[in-house]
Amino acid sequence: MSTPGVAPKRPSAQAARSRENTLVTIMFFAAGIAFLDRFGIAYAFPYIGPDLQLDNTQLGWTMSITALCWAVSSIVFSLFSDRLLGGRKKTIIVTSLVLFSLAAGAVGLAQNFTQLLVIRGIIGALEGPVLPLIQSAVAAASSEHRRGRNLGIVIAGTAIIGSALPPILVVSLSESLGWRAVFPLSAAPGLVIALLVAIFMKESRSTADAPEKPAWRDVGRVLVARNVLLCGVAAVALIGFTLAFTSFAPLYLAQNSVLSSGTIATVLSLFGLGGALGCVIAPSWSDRLGRKPVFLLASLCTALVPIAILLLHDHAVPLLLSVLLQLLAAGALVIAVYAIPGESVPAPLAATTFAVLIALSEILGGGLAPAVAGALADGFGLSAAMWFCAGLGGLSLVAGMFVKETRPRGTRPDTAQEPLALAEEGPPLEHPGRTTTT
């Protein structure tokens, strides 16, 4: 016979776990759809460019404008959620999903560069708040021992749906239906996910447990902290790499490789899948081997990925094997933006630190790198764009050499870390019972 007062706890715990898993699953797809609409267009560049008579610089700007608008809107709408909606995020997430899905469908209507640029800017502005609000919602709904894993699953969704699927889906649909038909079709999944978020996302209206907002002087201390500055440089380089490589690797292979379009699409799809796995593998290794050595290895692999494309573009099997580099390379960004900074500042400043790093990397890296890579491609050939991507990986490697270790090898994952960077400059904020996540 069950003991009164004990039996009801188990269904309650199971229900909480079920709600947590449901939310993480839905947000996996929501984040993935956002990145599909953001990056999927790159795989249609071989069709869009000739049709609209666009050069590589113009194609690069269609990626840059999205990144710039994404960065600005992510900050604006996140602050709007915190200040005016009491931290309630559901309304903005659902609205954003609906609107950016419709805007992504409108890409197929563009008749010239100006129209395409405006539509891509609108997409970036509408997508900007999605990822930070999703991350915040998942973190708040996750149990303490599953928070890092859940955030990693959401990030993996951006790689699987945003990078692994587009090479096959966008290329095959562009060849069979024409590139203009691809984008209206891409609107449907976002609308479905918006409906699921509206139905299943539960959000407390209580603000009693809301964390105290840091003072501006504390934010200033974060911005000058050694690890945060170095990770900012690395994040700019890595986001720049991601957008420039995603924009021009398909073009480089399409114009320079003797491999079939189907083989190229498979290779690019596997690179996307490798990126998804890398978001989990490299941070997990850093839990055991230390953040800095794994970050350095991941940055080195990032620099080697475009070099592998340059050297192996005509050889299917070696090119496929180079996907192994991507298994570690993709994890560099997770460590640079979340793991090291999150362990270098007090807990009340972690979210602010993440927002600053994301905005900085999107504006400087995402906003400039694709345009610079496009200009290099027009002036010196697409191989110059690939070398530029390799240089961005090298910049991340150099920045990582000067980072101070935040989780030495052998440290238990549940051991709280001191905020190293701020400890050098003054007493840190209190962070009782702090645990770190990757």
Side-chain angles (χ1 to χ4, degrees):
M1 182 179 295
S2 61
T3 304
V6 174
K9 293 182 180 179
R10 185 172 181 181
S12 178
Q14 289 177 340
R17 179 69 60 83
S18 177
R19 287 195 298 270
E20 179 182 331
N21 290 338
T22 299
L23 179 66
V24 171
T25 301
I26 293 173
M27 294 308 186
F28 168 92
F29 286 100
I33 291 298
F35 275 68
L36 172 64
D37 289 340
R38 180 178 178 180
F39 292 127
I41 190 175
Y43 301 98
F45 279 171
Y47 311 93
I48 296 175
D51 189 18
L52 299 185
Q53 298 181 350
L54 305 181
D55 59 27
N56 291 315
T57 302
Q58 291 172 315
L59 291 174
W61 270 112
T62 65
M63 299 294 280
S64 294
I65 192 65
T66 305
L68 290 169
C69 294
W70 176 298
V72 174
S73 71
S74 66
I75 297 175
V76 171
F77 283 101
S78 294
L79 290 174
F80 176 80
S81 171
D82 288 339
R83 301 289 180 180
L84 300 182
L85 298 181
R88 294 191 294 273
K89 305 167 180 66
K90 181 176 178 177
T91 300
I92 296 181
I93 293 175
V94 172
T95 303
S96 180
L97 282 167
V98 171
L99 293 179
F100 81 63
S101 296
L102 295 176
V107 168
L109 301 176
Q111 299 298 316
N112 52 54
F113 173 64
T114 301
Q115 292 178 8
L116 183 60
L117 199 66
V118 170
I119 295 172
R120 289 288 294 171
I122 293 172
I123 291 173
L126 295 173
E127 286 183 337
V130 170
L131 189 57
L133 293 181
I134 283 176
Q135 290 173 321
S136 178
V138 169
S142 298
S143 53
E144 190 69 27
H145 66 286
R146 288 155 56 99
R147 183 171 297 148
R149 187 208 69 165
N150 288 346
L151 291 172
I153 290 174
V154 172
I155 294 172
T158 67
I160 293 176
I161 300 176
S163 298
L165 293 181
I168 294 176
L169 291 178
V170 174
V171 171
S172 60
L173 289 174
S174 295
E175 291 190 346
S176 59
L177 302 177
W179 71 268
R180 293 186 182 278
V182 172
F183 297 96
L185 291 175
S186 71
L191 299 176
V192 173
I193 296 300
L195 179 62
L196 293 177
V197 172
I199 294 172
F200 291 103
M201 181 177 175
K202 307 299 180 184
E203 195 168 40
S204 172
R205 295 182 179 274
S206 172
T207 59
D209 298 327
E212 183 179 354
K213 293 181 176 64
W216 284 110
R217 64 178 179 84
D218 297 318
V219 176
R221 290 164 61 197
V222 165
L223 294 177
V224 298
R226 172 174 174 166
N227 270 10
V228 175
L229 283 173
L230 290 169
C231 286
V233 173
V236 168
L238 293 169
I239 285 288
F241 168 89
T242 299
L243 269 73
F245 184 80
T246 302
S247 299
F248 294 105
L251 277 174
Y252 176 82
L253 289 174
Q255 295 183 19
N256 294 277
S257 177
V258 299
L259 302 177
S260 67
S261 60
T263 301
I264 292 174
T266 300
V267 169
L268 293 172
S269 181
L270 288 176
F271 266 91
L273 181 59
L277 296 175
C279 289
V280 178
I281 292 174
S284 297
W285 282 13
S286 74
D287 284 339
R288 298 171 176 80
L289 303 177
R291 303 292 189 211
K292 183 171 181 176
V294 176
F295 178 64
L296 292 175
L297 179 59
S299 296
L300 175 62
C301 290
T302 300
L304 293 177
V305 165
I307 295 176
I309 294 287
L310 288 167
L311 298 179
L312 305 174
H313 60 269
D314 286 334
H315 309 284
V317 174
L319 191 59
L320 287 171
L321 291 177
S322 70
V323 172
L324 295 175
L325 294 171
Q326 185 73 355
L327 288 176
L328 279 177
L333 185 61
V334 179
I335 297 174
V337 174
Y338 298 106
I340 294 177
E343 293 168 350
S344 299
V345 301
L349 295 177
T352 298
T353 304
F354 298 157
V356 169
L357 289 176
I358 291 171
L360 181 69
S361 59
E362 288 285 2
I363 292 172
L364 296 181
L368 296 179
V372 172
L376 289 172
D378 283 333
F380 305 98
L382 284 164
S383 60
M386 292 295 96
W387 282 113
F388 174 67
C389 291
L392 291 174
L395 177 59
S396 175
L397 177 64
V398 172
M401 292 178 180
F402 298 95
V403 166
K404 286 201 170 185
E405 180 63 77
T406 59
R407 178 170 289 175
R409 180 173 182 173
T411 303
R412 291 185 303 131
D414 59 347
T415 301
Q417 300 294 308
E418 290 300 318
L420 297 178
L422 293 188
E424 298 171 355
E425 298 153 7
L429 296 177
E430 294 295 327
H431 54 102
R434 178 170 181 252
T435 58
T436 56
T437 59
T438 57

